[in-house]
Amino acid sequence: MATQSHSLSYAGCNFLRQRLVLSTLSGRPVKIRKIRARDDNPGLRDFEASFIRLLDKITNGSRIEINQTGTTLYYQPGLLYGGAVEHDCSDLRGIGYYLESLLCLAPFMKHPLRIVLRGVTNDQVDPSVDVLKATALPLLKQFGIDGESFELKVVRRGMPPGGGGEVFFSCPVRKVLKPVQLTDPGKIKRIRGIAYSVRVSPQMANRIVDSARSILNKFIPDIYIYTDHMKGVSSGKPHAAALLPPGCSLLALGPVSPILLLSPPHSLPQAPVGWRRSPVRSGPILLHSAASTRPRSCSCVIFAGGCIDSTNQSLGLLLMTLGQQDVSKVLLGPLSPYTIEFLRHLKSFFQIMFKIETKPCGEELKGGDKVLLTCVGIGFSNLSKTLK
């Protein structure tokens, strides 16, 4: 692990996870000031405090200082320890909010991480557990992170605002990562997806599948969308304030390319049950019309192209940075604002810059314009793995 003494200073609450994750990997302390200083309710939110507690659980020797108002945070990272951990996530954000950062840190623990996360498994803000399982795990395997203990499983589903979901994640440790050359996204050969239903009739999920297939069958014949129906204890906590029980939605729908999986954006509204007042749109909407938003969004992701979808762009770039001292390349679609800021943070914490080349769409590259990113890894070594 790197042990650079001088700390980095930032202001504001934006990109808090990025800064804390990169601080943990680089060993550089970080100080964040003016966290919502002018807000009516200043300071860290409950879900951010929960994320900081999670970092404290998976590390050994971290030093965390927060002032009384919560507007200033000082974080001096310790060693990544891992082991068996349980954590209750805040119901204000999905489990994907915490899991995205764990995917970055888990391969570099001293002991293999086996963690149980409890909270909201599917919401309209963060990537669902299903999306991360279908896209992030295959990406990690490209860098040599694989094994029998590499697993992400939904034990119980939990919907907002009650939560009650449970997820189990285990990941082996690796001393070094191998470089990658992800420059050929290949052709779309088949599509796989999952339609889940919670506390409603299983027939609702079947209706979602029929609606999605009616659109996708026009483009490709090899389509399989399986249903996941949970009830009782496995369906999380009911909430009296909810207009209806959480309902059902189509998730992790994406094309299977020769290299990786793509997923539609996770910020789309979930498909409500029958006629229902939607919290996103004004007025009632039908189940089949809401279910059709996912296949259409999937076609937009295919058009954007690249070997990694926008949800996992930052994860791929981080693993390229931490790889061996060899050239790694990846072809991406348009860079998201989150990824652009992540590139700036990589330069601050690891002093590494990517070569960025634009690849206009043409005969070889169909769809939208692409971006080719190239870097030489810093040769990051997981020293914690060798400690006894």
Side-chain angles (χ1 to χ4, degrees):
M1 294 291 223
T3 56
Q4 303 183 42
S5 58
H6 63 283
S7 63
L8 295 173
S9 181
Y10 295 97
C13 62
N14 290 337
F15 312 105
L16 178 73
R17 287 183 304 163
Q18 285 188 17
R19 293 160 180 169
L20 295 182
V21 167
L22 294 179
S23 172
T24 304
L25 290 172
S26 65
R28 301 183 64 173
V30 63
K31 185 174 184 180
I32 304 175
R33 302 173 294 105
K34 299 180 180 179
I35 302 175
R36 300 185 182 90
R38 298 183 179 181
D39 198 275
D40 294 337
N41 183 21
L44 295 167
R45 297 290 182 257
D46 290 342
F47 61 88
E48 294 168 333
S50 178
F51 177 74
I52 295 172
R53 288 193 295 270
L54 176 60
L55 286 180
D56 189 45
K57 288 181 180 179
I58 63 176
T59 58
N60 186 11
S62 295
R63 176 185 169 192
I64 301 169
E65 298 178 1
I66 303 174
N67 67 350
Q68 284 188 339
T69 58
T71 56
T72 301
L73 165 67
Y74 178 78
Y75 175 70
Q76 181 176 341
L79 290 177
L80 286 165
Y81 189 78
V85 180
E86 294 185 7
H87 184 69
D88 294 326
C89 305
S90 172
D91 292 338
L92 298 176
R93 297 295 292 265
I95 290 178
Y97 175 85
Y98 305 86
L99 197 55
E100 280 185 302
S101 299
L102 288 178
L103 291 169
C104 299
L105 300 173
F108 309 105
M109 303 283 180
K110 179 179 180 180
H111 302 287
L113 180 66
R114 301 184 306 279
I115 187 168
V116 176
L117 299 172
R118 301 185 182 92
V120 175
T121 58
N122 307 83
D123 66 1
Q124 300 177 16
V125 180
D126 300 293
S128 70
V129 179
D130 304 279
V131 167
L132 293 176
K133 181 178 181 179
T135 59
L137 265 59
L139 175 60
L140 288 169
K141 291 178 181 179
Q142 294 290 323
F143 291 86
I145 304 168
D146 197 4
E148 294 181 358
S149 60
F150 194 38
E151 182 185 10
L152 177 57
K153 180 172 62 176
V154 180
V155 181
R156 292 198 297 264
R157 289 195 184 274
M159 307 296 134
E166 183 175 310
V167 172
F168 173 75
F169 173 59
S170 64
C171 181
V173 295
R174 290 292 180 267
K175 187 172 182 179
V176 294
L177 302 178
K178 64 180 184 181
V180 297
Q181 302 286 325
L182 304 178
T183 57
D184 181 15
K187 295 182 179 180
I188 307 304
K189 296 182 177 180
R190 58 191 184 273
I191 291 179
R192 299 293 180 262
I194 172 176
Y196 76 84
S197 57
V198 174
R199 296 180 180 270
V200 295
S201 170
Q203 189 61 27
M204 293 296 182
N206 296 331
R207 290 173 60 188
I208 290 178
V209 174
D210 292 339
S211 178
R213 289 184 63 92
S214 65
I215 297 176
L216 295 172
N217 277 335
K218 300 176 183 178
F219 305 99
I220 192 168
D222 189 358
I223 299 172
Y224 180 64
I225 305 173
Y226 70 91
T227 58
D228 181 21
H229 176 70
M230 289 193 176
K231 59 183 179 180
V233 178
S234 298
S235 61
K237 299 178 182 177
H239 197 276
L243 186 58
L244 283 178
C248 47
S249 182
L250 182 67
L251 294 170
L253 180 65
V256 180
S257 72
I259 300 178
L260 302 174
L261 292 173
L262 304 177
S263 70
H266 51 269
S267 58
L268 292 176
Q270 297 181 3
V273 182
W275 288 90
R276 172 185 175 181
R277 288 286 176 180
S278 170
V280 178
R281 299 188 181 110
S282 59
I285 54 178
L286 285 172
L287 177 66
H288 67 84
S289 63
S292 65
T293 59
R294 286 286 168 178
R296 293 193 177 99
S297 174
C298 183
S299 64
C300 294
V301 174
I302 296 173
F303 179 82
C307 296
I308 304 176
D309 64 320
S310 59
T311 303
N312 298 294
Q313 286 179 352
S314 57
L315 175 60
L317 297 178
L318 174 64
L319 297 177
M320 290 170 60
T321 300
L322 301 179
Q324 300 180 33
Q325 294 181 344
D326 200 352
V327 176
S328 292
K329 295 182 179 181
V330 64
L331 185 70
L332 302 177
L335 299 180
S336 66
Y338 187 88
T339 304
I340 294 172
E341 190 64 29
F342 192 77
L343 288 170
R344 298 190 180 108
H345 282 137
L346 286 176
K347 181 182 178 182
S348 299
F349 283 93
F350 293 105
Q351 291 78 50
I352 187 170
M353 295 182 65
F354 283 74
K355 179 183 178 182
I356 303 177
E357 303 174 73
T358 57
K359 298 289 184 179
C361 60
E363 293 298 327
E364 297 182 359
L365 297 175
K366 303 294 184 180
D369 294 341
K370 310 294 188 295
V371 181
L372 179 65
L373 287 95
T374 307
C375 80
V376 177
I378 63 172
F380 185 89
S381 180
N382 181 11
L383 299 180
S384 299
K385 187 176 184 297
T386 62
L387 298 178
K388 300 296 182 182

